[in-house]
Amino acid sequence: MQIEEFFIDDSFLVRTSGTSDGTQDKFFKDNLWFKLDRYGGEGFAETAASIILKESGIDSSKFVEYTPCLINGKTGCYSKNFLTEDESFITLYRLYKNVTGKDLAQICSHMDYDDAIEYVISFVKQQTNLDIHEYLANIFALDRVILNDDRHFNNLGIIYNGTDFRPAPIFDNGKSFLIGNKKATEKASIQEKIGCIFSKSFSPSFEINEKYLKKYCTLKINDSCLKSIEKLENKKITEILKFTLKV
């Protein structure tokens, strides 16, 4: 697979710290976001996740499409900015903090997973009149397949244009496919490696999260995406996807 290469001046550098996994260097130029890999492989993981979503049947406005690239000689990926000039992205963490002054993650950590899911859905509905059942259901279904162990309240959110709210597109899937997971040793079997991965969203079980809102899910994920994934020429991602899809 041929990889595009970009040379971007540091004047376009943005450092973001609103993640449970630390600070990440990004560049914003020509209405494109460029993200550098931290562990190696995140750009391919983002791309694989967007391929799965593209072939799942949902509208392209509901997810961000990523492309692997080199940024100043380093691996990463790029994507189009999903906000227009009059829009702002509000994380669920920030929305809750602004309204209550409290930490949503801490509040949910004291609840059973199902109560926490319903609490968040109800809170968003009360504040924005948005129903996020489908939004969360699709994310849970995706995360079960790609094993995203960094889905937290700072990459779940809504978009506000000054008048109306809408769910944000699905984005930030780089910590998937065992990328950056130090517990999954190379000598372990694929099943043992996957056993080291836990969800940060509500229940630590990807399967339980997916099952709880499954009736609201509009994704149709199957092995039809494998041919496109194989074009990335990333054996690790292909192997994991075959396992999670039970191919």
Side-chain angles (χ1 to χ4, degrees), residues 104-137:
L104 181 56
Q106 288 186 1
I107 297 297
C108 288
S109 69
H110 298 295
M111 302 179 183
D112 290 337
Y113 81 91
D114 49 349
D115 291 335
I117 292 173
E118 293 298 340
Y119 179 77
V120 170
I121 290 172
S122 177
F123 174 78
V124 173
K125 180 69 173 178
Q126 290 172 2
Q127 301 301 320
T128 68
N129 202 33
L130 274 183
D131 185 337
I132 61 169
H133 281 89
E134 179 186 334
Y135 172 66
L136 289 181

